[in-house]
Amino acid sequence: MEAKIRLENITHSFKETGLVLNGISLHVNDGEFVSIIGPSGSGKSTIFQTIGGLLKPEGGDIFLEGRRINGETGNISYMPQQASLLPWRTVLNNVLLAQELAGRTDESEVRTWLAKVGLSGYENAYPHQLSGGMKQRVAFIRALLSPQPIMLLDEPFSALDEFTRFDMQKWLLAIWEEKRKSVLFITHNIEEALFLSDRIVLLSPRPAKVIKEFKVPLNRPRTDRLLLDDSFLQLKREIYGAMKEGETHESH
């Protein structure tokens, strides 16, 4: 089966800081949720910028559904750390934006999904009238309903407090289960990656290379109880150990 997106030996460097990506290879299959974990500054966001076409990799290739897309924009939907809603557009029109840019809109579909995520009645509200969690829900639905075949989620819950963050993780999974769009997710948080993902790709400190890949053999749908499950805790220890080992190797 052809992967939805595939990176083959991607390298990139910046004049100021030198090599950032050191031969990154990874893939996301159709309907799969894959997380990237790595230390701060390891190059996770640079990977997203190369996939999105904002940066052209110096070496290697990126394939979307088998087609090479190096340096091309418009192929992915993206949810950043901050919700990035346009303050002059209503909730409804913010969600419609991605569809407008692609040349098709479906207002009834947007209204249905806003209702599913508890935002019925907020269609005509503006971003400044929403809480942080509500803004993130709007941004997620915008990404989910955009026509591109893969979603890139860049630490979308990092600015939220721990309780809101876990609620948002559970909410994201419930919504994602319905549509099963292919997702590549960046996080620093091992628990978050385990709770959400089918696979986890672990990066070394900068310059980033893939240290290890973990399959997450936990059944879906996932619930709160999973966080105390022995298999969950064992996987968490394994990933933490691999991260520490990778950091030690890089420092020598």
Side-chain angles (χ1 to χ4, degrees):
M1 181 178 67
E2 178 63 57
K4 185 62 71 173
I5 195 154
R6 183 162 44 92
L7 278 64
E8 290 187 354
N9 203 30
I10 297 297
T11 59
H12 196 77
S13 57
F14 294 112
K15 196 181 295 182
E16 305 81 7
T17 53
L19 188 63
V20 181
L21 305 181
N22 185 17
I24 297 288
S25 295
L26 59 86
H27 70 281
V28 182
N29 291 323
D30 189 30
E32 192 178 29
F33 198 121
V34 176
S35 287
I36 299 174
I37 299 182
S40 289
S42 62
K44 299 184 295 298
S45 293
T46 306
I47 292 173
F48 271 19
Q49 288 173 326
T50 58
I51 294 172
L54 299 176
L55 295 174
K56 192 167 184 179
E58 290 168 0
D61 290 303
I62 303 167
F63 296 94
L64 181 70
E65 298 179 321
R67 185 174 68 83
R68 185 176 179 272
I69 59 163
N70 290 30
E72 274 187 30
T73 58
N75 290 304
I76 54 99
S77 62
Y78 175 65
M79 182 178 171
Q81 293 177 24
Q82 304 299 326
S84 298
L85 303 178
L86 298 177
W88 60 88
R89 290 182 76 121
T90 62
V91 164
L92 180 69
N93 287 330
N94 263 292
V95 178
L96 282 168
L97 179 62
Q99 294 184 353
E100 285 173 19
L101 295 172
R104 66 159 191 87
T105 57
D106 187 342
E107 192 174 307
S108 64
E109 182 186 36
V110 171
R111 288 181 182 277
T112 299
W113 278 93
L114 287 173
K116 283 182 183 180
V117 302
L119 290 173
S120 192
Y122 287 90
E123 295 89 347
N124 296 318
Y126 288 90
H128 74 271
Q129 298 171 306
L130 307 179
S131 69
M134 291 164 81
K135 287 177 187 172
Q136 288 300 78
R137 276 184 265 171
V138 174
F140 182 73
I141 293 302
R142 179 174 63 188
L144 188 73
L145 297 184
S146 68
Q148 290 87 356
I150 186 161
M151 291 172 64
L152 306 185
L153 307 182
D154 188 355
E155 297 195 75
F157 308 137
S158 59
L160 304 175
D161 67 77
E162 196 168 334
F163 291 110
T164 308
R165 182 176 181 146
F166 188 53
D167 282 344
M168 288 296 292
Q169 289 166 12
K170 290 188 290 184
W171 169 85
L172 184 152
L173 273 190
I175 297 299
W176 175 79
E177 289 281 1
E178 280 196 52
K179 216 165 170 75
R180 283 286 175 127
K181 203 165 185 174
S182 303
V183 172
L184 190 57
F185 185 92
I186 285 177
T187 180
H188 285 99
N189 189 301
I190 296 173
E191 272 195 3
E192 180 170 70
L194 279 170
F195 188 66
L196 295 173
S197 309
D198 297 306
R199 277 187 300 115
I200 295 170
V201 175
L202 187 59
L203 297 185
S204 71
R206 189 174 186 156
K209 58 178 181 283
V210 176
I211 300 175
K212 200 165 182 180
E213 192 177 284
F214 294 86
K215 189 166 172 51
V216 183
L218 304 171
N219 293 332
R220 297 185 184 276
R222 295 176 183 169
T223 64
D224 304 36
R225 290 194 299 272
L226 185 62
L227 300 182
L228 298 174
D229 189 272
D230 286 343
S231 56
F232 184 93
L233 295 170
Q234 176 58 31
L235 262 172
K236 185 179 172 183
R237 282 192 290 269
E238 279 180 40
I239 294 170
Y240 182 76
M243 278 182 78
K244 285 290 155 200
E245 195 177 317
E247 286 171 12
T248 304
H249 283 170
E250 293 301 315
S251 64
H252 286 116

